Amino acid sequence: MIATVTMQLIDGNLIQVPDSLHSLTAYVIAEQGDWFEDEIRFVRILLGAGERVIDIGANYGAYTLSMARSVGPQGRVWAIEPASATASNLRASVELNDYAHVVVCQYALGERAGKARLSLHDNAELNGLVIAQPGKRGSSGGRVEQVRVMALDEFVGQQGIREVGFVKLDAEGAEGAIIAGAETFLATESPLIQYEAKEGKTLHLDLADRFRERGYRSYRLIPGLNVLIPFDGDADVDAFLLNLYACKPDRAEILRTRGLLVDAPEVGFDAAEMRRRAASPDWLTDLTASPYAHSYADPWQHWQATDGVSGSGLKLAGALALFHHARNPAVEPAVRVSALHASLDSLRDLTAETTSLTRLATLARVAREAGAQTVAVKALRRICNTIQKRPSVSFDEPFVAPTPRFDDVVATGGPKTWLTAAALEAYELNCAFSSYFTGPQALGQLRYYQALGYPSEVMAKRLKMIERRFPPERSAGR
């Protein structure tokens, strides 16, 4: 019997997980107080009291518990988890939170009813079905348990489930089979479906085609705005993309009315509009209200009136103004999305050959909020690889801090040290979903960061987590 521990999620829920730092869920929650996906924060905004949701591949229940809190006792959550040990922990978490409106169902879902073997891993997040084939015994190459398989159509019929508003689908590569076994459900119901598009390093863009054949359009999340936009599989797909969403037009209209989805053509910003926005005092006033930028208000106003009226200075001012516009909640979501994308495009052009570290810092922040995490990581890596070669760093033009925490951190140690710390923190938070994945290779930069004089509870916790998981005698032998 594996020992367990109860932890608290950032939303107040209690969750029971294995008492081991080798368990991904246990490690991530100890490190971050939450699951690492941007989508879980969107789901908390999305769901309201009384809604009915299905969590397929519930695992230890980070999503299940968050959804249960959002829908409240008037709602209903069906959490489907096939692994017996994991489902047992999930049931314990449901009881800890007194969620009588959550039903834990120990099944696997597939194309049709039957039985299958479930391969078990040390990390339950990687458990997956080994579908038995007639005449073949097969082998999973590890621990297995036999589980009951149901089609989603059979499951919802058995449970009497109707009027589902949201489905989370995360089945480690079995999503296609689950869709095939849900023809009636997908035709008669109209939920928003969050589906895992990436299994390991494999991107399953074919799932978007499967949903489209059934009348569902796919969307992706803009994390900085908590808005869904149409997913274009022909465009660049960010390497950090994990989940997509699918829904029918009627559900899209509901989400559009709530300001959570945009599917209209983008709003354009012509040269005259960019110049007007760049010259406006509003964006600079708000920017210099942040503690890190407050002491630069006068020189940056002078910069706006001189360098910011032409050439790359004008383009930078326009990008900063559009980023400010995108973050204004009073602006229509479609305009905010367009402004954020226009800001990102301008900054990518500006930094293609730049040696300006502050412009790269701005690019990193805007890219991360737009969901272009790979672009952010590359910009931060350029800062980290370059800054120590510079005798000094000057904040002679406006810029955005590369991570939100540093909006409120004054550069007491000077611009170079401040930007080094800010870039290192942003890089650590964005180069991987958790230090669980970086491990001992992150120790050097975390210890260096600690010595820079800008203490962070988040960074200190990451350092301690790695040191606990990889004690010195173990790390030395790696």
Side-chain angles (χ1 to χ4, degrees):
M1 191 75 176
I2 299 175
T4 61
V5 62
T6 299
M7 297 180 175
Q8 187 170 39
L9 292 166
I10 199 168
D11 63 1
N13 277 307
L14 299 176
I15 185 169
Q16 180 173 296
V17 293
D19 188 12
S20 169
L21 293 181
H22 296 286
S23 163
L24 175 58
T25 297
Y27 187 102
V28 169
I29 293 173
E31 175 189 70
Q32 302 178 24
D34 206 359
W35 190 234
F36 57 68
E37 295 177 352
D38 292 321
E39 289 81 5
I40 196 168
R41 290 175 281 281
F42 174 72
V43 169
R44 291 182 184 129
I45 295 170
L46 168 76
L47 296 178
E51 294 200 62
R52 300 157 71 83
V53 303
I54 302 175
D55 187 354
I56 302 171
N59 203 262
Y60 291 107
Y63 272 95
T64 295
L65 300 172
S66 291
M67 293 189 293
R69 178 170 286 255
S70 294
V71 305
Q74 310 99 316
R76 194 80 160 175
V77 179
W78 288 269
I80 304 172
E81 172 51 49
S84 57
T86 311
S88 177
N89 279 291
L90 177 56
R91 290 190 187 96
S93 295
V94 169
E95 291 176 6
L96 282 169
N97 293 282
D98 195 24
Y99 285 153
H101 57 294
V102 176
V103 180
V104 178
C105 306
Q106 192 180 326
Y107 307 118
L109 293 186
E111 185 172 356
R112 60 182 62 87
K115 293 182 179 180
R117 289 178 303 151
L118 182 73
S119 63
L120 303 175
H121 297 259
D122 291 337
N123 273 321
E125 296 79 9
L126 302 178
N127 292 347
L129 288 181
V130 180
I131 304 297
Q133 299 180 26
K136 295 183 179 181
R137 295 184 60 186
S139 173
S140 70
R143 296 179 294 124
V144 298
E145 68 173 286
Q146 184 167 276
V147 296
R148 181 182 176 186
V149 180
M150 297 179 71
L152 183 58
D153 282 342
E154 178 189 6
F155 175 76
V156 297
Q158 181 191 82
Q159 296 284 327
I161 300 172
R162 292 175 22 184
E163 299 178 354
V164 176
F166 180 71
V167 174
K168 192 212 85 184
L169 174 55
D170 182 350
E172 292 302 311
E175 288 82 8
I178 293 171
I179 293 170
E183 294 291 352
T184 301
F185 174 82
L186 293 173
T188 58
E189 295 285 328
S190 188
L192 176 68
I193 301 173
Q194 176 185 313
Y195 64 95
E196 184 184 45
K198 196 171 190 178
E199 177 200 5
K201 295 182 179 181
T202 304
L203 197 61
H204 295 289
L205 296 185
D206 60 301
L207 294 176
D209 295 331
R210 291 173 183 256
F211 278 116
R212 185 172 59 252
E213 291 165 358
R214 292 159 176 83
Y216 287 72
R217 186 178 187 182
S218 286
Y219 298 81
R220 71 175 180 90
L221 177 67
I222 302 292
L225 304 181
N226 272 320
V227 172
L228 302 181
I229 67 168
F231 172 68
D232 182 0
D234 294 327
D236 290 340
V237 177
D238 189 80
F240 290 88
L241 176 71
L242 295 178
N243 300 294
L244 293 171
Y245 293 84
C247 66
K248 295 178 184 176
D250 60 329
R251 179 63 60 176
E253 178 59 29
I254 293 171
L255 296 173
R256 189 184 309 110
T257 301
R258 294 180 57 195
L260 297 177
L261 179 146
V262 167
D263 59 9
E266 292 197 353
V267 179
F269 297 94
D270 60 21
E273 177 69 5
M274 290 286 284
R275 185 179 293 275
R276 185 186 70 78
R277 290 186 179 278
S280 169
D282 295 344
W283 68 267
L284 188 55
T285 298
D286 281 0
L287 185 63
T288 53
S290 298
Y292 83 97
H294 186 68
S295 61
Y296 299 99
D298 289 342
W300 286 0
Q301 286 173 1
H302 177 73
W303 176 92
Q304 185 187 34
T306 54
D307 295 351
V309 298
S310 63
S312 68
L314 174 60
K315 195 166 188 176
L316 174 61
L320 289 166
L322 288 174
F323 182 58
H324 170 260
H325 196 54
R327 302 178 76 203
N328 183 353
V331 174
E332 285 290 321
V335 178
R336 296 178 70 194
V337 170
S338 297
L340 185 61
H341 284 163
S343 176
L344 176 59
D345 289 344
S346 292
L347 288 163
R348 293 182 75 166
D349 290 342
L350 280 169
T351 56
E353 303 293 337
T354 190
T355 59
S356 169
L357 300 182
T358 55
R359 292 186 181 189
L360 287 169
T362 301
L363 171 63
R365 177 72 169 275
V366 173
R368 181 64 182 91
E369 296 206 9
Q373 193 166 340
T374 300
V375 174
V377 169
K378 288 179 178 178
L380 293 165
R381 189 180 293 124
R382 286 174 66 186
I383 296 173
C384 294
N385 290 341
T386 303
I387 195 166
Q388 294 310 313
K389 303 172 185 176
R390 302 276 180 89
S392 63
V393 173
S394 175
F395 292 169
D396 56 358
E397 63 182 17
F399 72 97
V400 179
T403 184
R405 188 180 83 86
F406 272 79
D407 287 344
D408 299 319
V409 177
V410 178
T412 53
K416 180 177 178 179
T417 303
W418 182 94
L419 187 56
T420 300
L424 279 174
E425 180 170 314
Y427 182 78
E428 171 64 23
L429 296 177
N430 287 288
C431 71
F433 294 115
S434 164
S435 62
Y436 183 93
F437 301 107
T438 56
Q441 69 185 38
L443 283 173
Q445 72 180 31
L446 285 168
R447 288 168 178 159
Y448 176 66
Y449 171 91
Q450 199 173 37
L452 291 173
Y454 292 95
S456 161
E457 181 180 346
V458 171
M459 296 287 274
K461 185 175 289 186
R462 287 187 172 226
L463 176 58
K464 290 179 181 178
M465 295 285 291
I466 296 174
E467 291 175 336
R468 284 176 57 198
R469 187 176 172 214
F470 300 98
E473 64 273 11
R474 288 184 59 189
S475 296
R478 290 177 66 86

